[in-house]
Amino acid sequence: MTLTDLIIMARQNLWRTRLRTLLTLIGVIIGIGALIAMVSFGIGLEKNITEKFKSNDLFTSLTISTKAFNFKGGPGNRNKAEKKEATAVPLNDSLISVLQKKPEVAIVYPRINLPVKVVLTKDTAATNSGSLPMAMAQQPPYNELYAGSYFSGDSAREALVSLNFLRSLGYEVRTKEKIAANTEVDSGLRLARADTIIGKEIILLSTSLKSTSPLAMMAGIENVIGEEATTIKIVGILKDEQFSGPSLREEVLLPVGTAKSLPSLGFDRISDLLENKTRGNQYASIYVKTKSMEDLGKIKTYLDAQKINYFAVDDGLSEMKKAFLILDSILGIIGLISLLVAGFGIVNTMLMSILERKREIGIMKAVGGKNRDIRMIFFFEAGFIGFVGAIGGITLGYGLTRIANLIVNKQYIKNADEYVDLFSFPWWLVGGSVLFSILISLLAGLYPAIRASSIHPIEALRQEG
Amino acid sequence: MIELIAVNKTYTKGEHKIIASNNIHCRINKGEFVAIVGKSGSGKSTLLNLLAGLDTATSGQILFNGADISAFTPNQYAQHRLNNIGIIFQSFNLIFSKTALENVMMPLIFAGIPKAERTKKARAVLTQVGLEQRMQHKANELSGGEAQRVAIARALVNEPEVLLADEPTGNLDSATTEEILDILLSLKAKGKTIIMITHDREIAEKVADRILTIKDGVLSE
Ligand SMILES: Nc1ncnc2c1ncn2[C@@H]1O[C@H](COP(=O)(O)OP(=O)(O)OP(=O)(O)O)[C@@H](O)[C@H]1O
Ligand SMILES: [Mg+2]
């Protein structure tokens, strides 16, 4: 028998009992549909998150810190995780200039992170300020601001603020075009045009150390710590970002020079301050951006050798990848189970059709059909169901995910500028599910096919037809 | 061309033992038209099934052109039927959902013959049995005589040396019986070896060169 004969025959035989075939097919379609929807969601999630990281160039950056980061231990075994020692080299300008000279390094700057109070006319909100050098102007996400522009210089009294922070100050800021399109605002917020915010002055209240003398400390905390005000102009507004680059949770960004000159404690806690100062640290952390991902690896080796602690996103990423693998597996298994159920449906259908077609099997054998021919005929029917089911399932799965996407984008991602595709259909998922569906179907058809071929011809011919 | 030597076939159903073929010796020559006559249950179909390789003998030898087929595997039997044997049944045994042409092409599919050639050959044999007008009809739309002619065409399409017919006229009226017998006679004239089973001695005498009688599994001249 030729392949074409088998395919034509399978089609004819399935068409003959089309209602039953359709019902069996629905099982496979649902199975494959569920599988592909589940897995594409897992992949989509992973892709969205890793791409966000990639677009922020986090795979080429790391943050040097005085303390050790530990990503290997989960929440449960945090204490058990190996204890790393504090960074051996002080984080100061000389370390920065050493790093600056390395050919792999593109940008390096101190991350000056200060708790500040911000006053905008009458509204006040507390946040963390961060620092950025001029070199970061071309880097995402700072190369695409929501409104306004980057700093004019490293010591300019200028700031970038986030949309979210403006919300905590009581403003829902939108561009002119966005306001025209939609004036709906969360309760309690005032709608403001972006260009009216740009150029406004804010007052930064930062905590500073007046004196470190024990005498002053004894006289009272107010003699040691004071609050100082600095006036700064808003020059740009940052977009809402779920995964914002190095300025994670820093909502007011200042030029490095300005941040350095800001009166401050320098560190979050007095104890840290004393400890760090004695070690000669000038900064709590230093941001390093390399020219490529390979360069990041080289810098990591260098830092490891120097016993300098750092945190790089790709360390966390490999952990994240593992988590995604588990998620994908769970989603895959759910889809798999439904496909398995469909497989039993195929077995059932095939066994039934063997009973009905016993006489036909006898006839085929009487006119010279070999056992193998009979086996192949039934095998192809099962495979045909698998193939058609896969095509239908992919269509169903794809269709459902499009609908889900539409709903989610409409309902939950109101403020996002771009449409988020929650699902991803890489070619291997589509191809793989077709192959997988055929494989499951063939497996389901195996026993019926063997059974059909082993029917004795005389017995088969005796069936009433 | 066909020789049976001490062929026995017994069916065992629990305690019961039914001897369907009892020490059968016989020889059928090429081009002969042999009729096997016997009452119902005498073992006619059993004998034919053994010749067709649809069933295996309990003991004895069946020689086909000198080769012993009694120890064939199911696969070898299938090939044997494909190459050497055409079978015609009392109840036609056509696949109802398929057309006359498709039914006739069936053996050629198993023989692996390409579609164009298959169609050509099937059309030729259908024309030979006088069914050129009925090729595209479904098997269940045909009359008994037409159905049996399709079955004959199917038996012929592989150009086998031997035709085995199990009561080919059993389901037909007398006029149609004549038509079918005429076809069989014309095939004999073309050199086919035909072994036909019938319980009707009159029919046997009309067409056969030689009549073998079977009674309780024992075959005699
Ligand atoms: N598969 C079987 N199992 C048990 N006994 C069988 C089987 N096939 C045939 N027999 C028995 O063998 C004997 C011969 O049967 P066979 O079918 O050869 O008779 P027959 O001459 O063709 O009869 P009929 O004219 O009614 O077709 C009968 O007694 C029958 O009951
Ligand atoms: Mg019989």
Side-chain angles (χ1 to χ4, degrees):
Chain A
M1 293 181 91
T2 66
L3 198 69
T4 350
D5 289 335
L6 284 167
I7 292 168
I8 291 170
M9 230 183 245
R11 215 203 59 215
Q12 281 177 345
N13 286 330
L14 290 172
W15 183 247
R16 226 162 50 179
T17 52
R18 43 194 162 278
L19 180 62
R20 198 195 316 157
T21 303
L22 185 71
L23 293 172
T24 315
L25 259 176
I26 287 172
V28 181
I29 288 171
I30 291 173
I32 287 288
L35 184 75
I36 200 158
M38 295 275 181
V39 176
S40 73
F41 176 70
I43 301 167
L45 196 65
E46 180 174 354
K47 199 176 136 200
N48 282 328
I49 291 175
T50 47
E51 260 175 18
K52 265 292 196 296
F53 276 122
K54 270 191 187 140
S55 72
N56 284 343
D57 273 353
L58 281 201
F59 289 111
T60 56
S61 69
L62 55 78
T63 300
I64 294 173
S65 67
T66 53
K67 280 165 284 179
F69 284 96
N70 207 324
F71 247 82
K72 293 286 180 279
N77 52 4
R78 186 166 289 161
N79 294 328
K80 278 178 264 167
E82 56 172 316
K83 248 202 154 75
K84 262 192 167 177
E85 283 173 28
T87 293
V89 179
L91 306 193
N92 55 23
D93 285 331
S94 61
L95 176 62
I96 287 178
S97 60
V98 167
L99 290 169
Q100 193 95 68
K101 286 191 190 95
K102 296 221 153 277
E104 295 91 356
V105 173
I107 301 171
V108 50
Y109 66 89
R111 291 188 53 189
I112 302 162
N113 193 244
L114 301 173
V116 290
K117 260 188 244 158
V118 176
V119 183
L120 173 60
T121 54
K122 285 192 202 87
D123 306 291
T124 308
T127 185
N128 283 321
S129 73
S131 57
L132 285 175
M134 289 311 287
M136 289 297 277
Q138 284 78 44
Q139 301 299 326
Y142 312 110
N143 57 349
E144 279 179 33
L145 296 172
Y146 184 76
S149 56
Y150 202 74
F151 314 124
S152 56
D154 265 333
S155 298
R157 300 255 146 189
E158 293 169 349
L160 299 176
V161 294
S162 72
L163 278 174
N164 205 37
F165 181 64
L166 288 168
R167 277 187 208 111
S168 56
L169 280 169
Y171 292 98
E172 178 66 43
V173 176
R174 306 257 174 92
T175 57
K176 237 194 298 188
E177 300 77 32
K178 287 256 161 94
I179 287 177
N182 180 13
T183 54
E184 202 181 303
V185 168
D186 284 352
S187 60
L189 293 182
R190 281 156 288 171
L191 191 63
R193 252 168 58 183
D195 51 359
T196 65
I197 297 291
I198 304 291
K200 274 229 165 85
E201 296 207 318
I202 49 172
I203 297 164
L204 284 191
L205 294 171
S206 59
T207 316
S208 71
L209 199 65
K210 288 184 192 161
S211 164
T212 49
S213 86
L215 263 167
M217 280 191 192
M218 278 191 291
I221 195 77
E222 67 274 9
N223 292 315
V224 185
I225 292 167
E227 212 168 42
E228 295 199 26
T230 314
T231 306
I232 301 235
K233 197 168 79 180
I234 296 174
V235 289
I237 299 170
L238 295 165
K239 280 184 197 170
D240 274 332
E241 284 280 344
Q242 285 111 313
F243 313 100
S244 56
S247 59
L248 212 63
R249 273 159 54 222
E250 290 168 355
E251 297 178 311
V252 175
L253 292 161
L254 305 169
V256 175
T258 310
K260 270 190 206 173
S261 69
L262 220 57
S264 72
L265 282 175
F267 295 94
D268 296 353
R269 281 177 295 174
I270 299 276
S271 60
D272 283 354
L273 163 75
L274 296 176
E275 188 191 334
N276 282 315
K277 278 276 153 74
T278 55
R279 284 171 190 268
N281 283 318
Q282 210 176 334
Y283 309 114
S285 58
I286 294 172
Y287 175 88
V288 179
K289 182 167 181 59
T290 58
K291 285 170 183 155
S292 69
M293 279 170 76
E294 294 80 66
D295 286 342
L296 187 70
K298 286 185 202 158
I299 289 297
K300 277 166 134 186
T301 345
Y302 168 76
L303 294 174
D304 284 335
Q306 299 289 312
K307 290 203 168 60
I308 296 174
N309 290 322
Y310 60 87
F311 165 68
V313 170
D314 64 346
D315 290 347
L317 196 78
S318 61
E319 293 299 306
M320 207 163 76
K321 286 234 182 217
K322 268 184 221 160
F324 277 122
L325 202 67
I326 293 167
L327 178 74
D328 288 351
S329 306
I330 292 169
L331 293 174
I333 284 167
I334 296 171
L336 210 66
I337 289 169
S338 44
L339 196 58
L340 217 65
V341 174
F344 282 105
I346 296 177
V347 177
N348 192 31
T349 303
M350 300 294 288
L351 287 178
M352 212 141 100
S353 93
I354 287 169
L355 283 184
E356 285 175 5
R357 282 152 66 187
K358 220 168 165 182
R359 183 186 172 86
E360 196 178 310
I361 293 167
I363 294 171
M364 292 194 287
K365 287 193 168 189
V367 302
K370 295 193 176 68
N371 287 356
R372 195 192 53 218
D373 295 324
I374 313 294
R375 250 192 330 262
M376 289 306 267
I377 288 168
F378 282 89
F379 222 50
F380 261 73
E381 282 176 33
F384 205 93
I385 290 177
F387 179 73
V388 176
I391 301 296
I394 290 167
T395 313
L396 177 78
Y398 187 78
L400 284 179
T401 61
R402 289 310 92 187
I403 293 168
N405 243 339
L406 216 70
I407 292 170
V408 169
N409 274 285
K410 259 222 162 94
Q411 294 290 326
Y412 301 106
I413 315 181
K414 277 184 201 150
N415 293 324
D417 296 304
E418 322 154 43
Y419 178 85
V420 179
D421 193 346
L422 297 170
F423 304 89
S424 173
F425 290 87
W427 65 268
W428 61 261
L429 178 63
V430 176
S433 47
V434 174
L435 288 183
F436 193 67
S437 173
I438 294 176
L439 189 79
I440 290 275
S441 307
L442 291 183
L443 229 57
L446 199 62
Y447 169 69
I450 290 171
R451 194 170 152 155
S453 72
S454 55
I455 295 177
H456 196 283
I458 302 284
E459 191 206 328
L461 284 169
R462 208 171 280 145
Q463 186 183 52
E464 293 295 314
Chain B
M1 101 160 293
I2 299 171
E3 194 173 0
L4 286 82
I5 305 162
V7 171
N8 285 288
K9 178 72 186 178
T10 47
Y11 291 108
T12 332
K13 273 272 143 77
E15 295 284 286
H16 284 279
K17 238 186 179 176
I18 298 156
I19 302 170
S21 304
N22 192 349
N23 195 29
I24 291 175
H25 285 269
C26 103
R27 201 191 164 90
I28 291 152
N29 297 317
K30 192 167 161 57
E32 247 189 319
F33 194 145
V34 175
I36 297 172
V37 185
K39 283 192 295 193
S40 183
S42 57
K44 307 183 294 288
S45 293
T46 302
L47 183 58
L48 202 81
N49 290 340
L50 293 179
L51 292 173
L54 288 170
D55 215 343
T56 37
T58 314
S59 68
Q61 279 184 308
I62 301 168
L63 302 179
F64 191 93
N65 285 336
D68 187 5
I69 67 162
S70 56
F72 269 13
T73 63
N75 229 347
Q76 287 173 309
Y77 275 134
Q79 197 62 49
H80 171 62
R81 286 192 288 276
L82 211 50
N83 295 343
N84 309 319
I85 294 194
I87 314 174
I88 303 154
F89 300 92
Q90 176 176 352
S91 54
F92 323 132
N93 277 336
L94 298 176
I95 296 174
F96 296 133
S97 60
K98 292 191 190 297
T99 64
L101 192 67
E102 285 169 335
N103 268 286
V104 175
M105 284 197 294
M106 183 82 75
L108 300 175
I109 290 177
F110 295 123
I113 289 165
K115 187 154 189 203
E117 197 185 334
R118 227 152 59 194
T119 316
K120 212 177 101 195
K121 283 192 169 187
R123 282 176 181 282
V125 281
L126 277 165
T127 309
Q128 196 183 329
V129 296
L131 281 180
E132 56 269 60
Q133 305 302 324
R134 288 277 185 276
M135 293 189 198
Q136 297 303 337
H137 285 237
K138 286 269 166 65
N140 58 4
E141 298 164 357
L142 300 172
S143 73
E146 285 163 345
Q148 196 58 298
R149 279 190 278 169
V150 173
I152 293 172
R154 184 181 62 188
L156 288 173
V157 78
N158 267 345
E159 297 162 25
E161 285 181 62
V162 179
L163 284 182
L164 302 177
D166 191 346
E167 305 258 15
T169 59
N171 281 2
L172 304 175
D173 62 28
S174 56
T176 323
T177 297
E178 291 297 329
E179 283 172 29
I180 296 298
L181 292 177
D182 282 345
I183 292 171
L184 291 178
L185 279 172
S186 74
L187 292 171
K188 180 213 142 49
K190 282 182 183 142
K192 299 278 181 207
T193 308
I194 300 172
I195 302 168
M196 182 181 79
I197 283 171
T198 177
H199 61 271
D200 190 336
R201 189 165 275 276
E202 213 177 297
I203 286 174
E205 276 167 356
K206 202 185 289 174
V207 293
D209 302 329
R210 188 153 62 103
I211 297 171
L212 301 174
T213 311
I214 191 164
K215 195 183 175 206
D216 295 333
V218 181
L219 191 73
S220 55
E221 289 278 337

